[in-house]
Amino acid sequence: MFKRARKGTVAAAAAVALVGALAACGSDGDSGGSDASVLRIAWENPGSLDPVKSISGADLPVQYTIYDALLDYDPETLELKPALAESWEFTTPTTLDLTLRDDVKFQDGTDFDAEAVKFNIERSQQEGSTSAAELKGVVGVEVVDTHEVVLDLDKPNAELLATLAGKPGLMVSPKAAQADTLGEHPVGAGPFEFVSARNGAEIVVKKYDGYWNSDLKRADRIEFKIMALGATPVNALLTGQVDLIFKPPFQDLKTIKADSRFQVSEPLTMQSDRIYINAKLAPFDDVRVRQALNYAVDRDALLKTIYGGTGETAWTIFSSNHWADNADIVPDQTHDVAKAKQLLAEAGHAGGIKVKMITRNDPVASRMAEVLQAQLAEAGIDLELVPLDKSEATTKFIEEQKVPLSLSAASGRVGAADTLTAYYGADAYLNAGKYDIPGLQAALDGARASDDRDAQLPYLLEAQRLIADAAIGVELVHPPYAAAMTKEVKGYTPSIVTIPKFATIYREQ
């Protein structure tokens, strides 16, 4: 069942042009002093810089500096644009012809060509790749000419183009991949080339002089200063150690906004906080227990307590400003403790349940976990919290398959059906229990059969209804994806899919 949404106050979506030039100079890998050509960004520790091994939301923005994808997209409208593929055509509903740029070299000097595309697509489809589910429908890659490649599909999929604008479309150097060195020294054909990394401390990239798009205005160097979310990045911004930070606690935004040195962007994006559920593990292998968890959560109170009421309550993965969201309907799972208790009793748990939930150990996630712990206790759900580092939390939940719940974040994909597939698809990496929602694949196939959004929307709404009924996750809130930076930072454009791209960001002297 669906009902009219009850949204919170959406923070002003100021599409502030952001860019930060970094205060660091000297030899490659060293930093110090003040240099407007260097952009310093406070960032979380990535799990991997190899796209096929990427499991953390902190990975992709760093990867986008080093690797280019086959296609690009407008961050606000999600309209597709040429990138490494300069043109494309579906010659049949199941045949995609890509014409590649002929002036591109990887940063190790090897040519980017059709053979490289074939290598990358097939590598991303291999067992263990976190992109495999999104490329499952590609059944053949044919090299037609040096700069022409054809992808054969098992069924029509107009959204494959959007897929190739995201992580599955990132092109790595075949030479580096075959040497198995991408994790330590990533090599792509993107606007920046890798310089150095100190685990948990800093990642440095510099402008790639051989980049095909020589007109792109960008920093000479980006230094990612590795910091956990919370007070540390805020203090680093206030004291001039970094130029750009993301997701500062909402209490600290008042301080930053009051300081004339800084500018703040607070757009609503597909960034969301959610509880991931492994529907394979008891007691959550019973849909009634999963539904009880949804009813036990008070999303309005969570939004107010953690984010000061800014953002909106979340009922699906799509925020209200996404074209696939229907602003008039949400799953009818509003806070109802009595209903949660009833469902638990029907499932044979009248005395309540005791379960573990993994949570990130940053201050915001820790506070949210504590609020959820108190809310769920009212319904008889005794929650034991397991705080872990972000990358460790993902690995433990997804790969060890021992803890049934995980409190973490989610972000979108360029394609709407891809977004739903990434979190709910039966083969999706992030679907820990690999729960197969009846009817979901047919709805997603229907959405992918056309590139017309009006034609796609009914299928996407049906998919969201099926997902809500299956309750293999609890969507909590869409907070504003806040970015704070010095006034000198230019070129930042917020993206509705959340993932920031740093290639166009620089610091104006």
Side-chain angles (χ1 to χ4, degrees), residues 11 16 32 38 55 80 155 199 209 255-256 271 302 316 319 324 339 344 390 409 458 471:
V16 180
V38 181
I55 61 173
L80 298 173
K155 65 186 73 171
N199 187 40
D209 291 333
T255 300
I256 296 171
Q271 165 83 12
L302 201 62
T316 77
S319 52
K339 180 69 172 178
L344 287 176
K390 184 175 182 177

Side-chain angles (χ1 to χ4, degrees), residues 283-364:
F284 296 100
D285 53 348
D286 189 320
V287 67
R288 293 169 295 187
V289 178
R290 302 196 298 269
Q291 290 170 341
L293 194 64
N294 271 275
Y295 282 109
V297 171
D298 187 342
R299 293 165 174 82
D300 290 326
L302 201 62
L303 190 69
K304 182 177 181 180
T305 303
I306 305 301
Y307 296 108
T310 59
E312 63 183 24
T313 52
W315 302 93
T316 77
I317 201 73
F318 300 119
S319 52
S320 62
N321 59 340
H322 190 280
W323 67 269
D325 174 79
N326 188 318
D328 295 326
I329 59 173
V330 295
D332 186 13
Q333 294 176 340
T334 51
H335 184 224
D336 189 334
V337 172
K339 180 69 172 178
K341 289 181 176 180
Q342 176 191 333
L343 286 165
L344 287 176
E346 291 175 0
H349 304 287
I353 58 175
K354 183 173 183 178
V355 297
K356 292 183 178 181
M357 183 174 77
I358 293 171
T359 179
R360 304 189 315 271
N361 56 11
D362 64 80
V364 174

Side-chain angles (χ1 to χ4, degrees), residues 178-190:
Q178 289 166 339
D180 198 24
T181 58
L182 288 173
E184 297 74 38
H185 192 106
V187 180

Side-chain angles (χ1 to χ4, degrees), residues 366-420:
S366 297
R367 175 60 177 148
M368 182 176 294
E370 292 169 355
V371 174
L372 285 168
Q373 188 178 46
Q375 290 183 356
L376 298 183
E378 296 179 10
I381 301 173
D382 184 358
L383 202 60
E384 179 184 342
L385 303 180
V386 184
L388 297 170
D389 174 80
K390 184 175 182 177
S391 295
E392 185 184 1
T394 302
T395 301
K396 190 175 186 67
F397 178 67
I398 299 293
E399 298 181 6
E400 293 189 9
Q401 302 272 311
K402 292 181 179 179
V403 180
L405 304 177
S406 176
L407 175 64
S408 192
S411 57
R413 304 294 189 271
V414 182
D418 276 355
T419 297
L420 298 179

Side-chain angles (χ1 to χ4, degrees), residues 34 39 78 84 136 139 206 249 255 304 338 383 400 431 441:
S34 178
L39 177 66
L78 303 185
L84 293 179
K136 184 179 180 180
V139 294
K206 67 178 181 179
T255 300
K304 182 177 181 180
L383 202 60
E400 293 189 9
N431 180 355
Q441 190 59 55

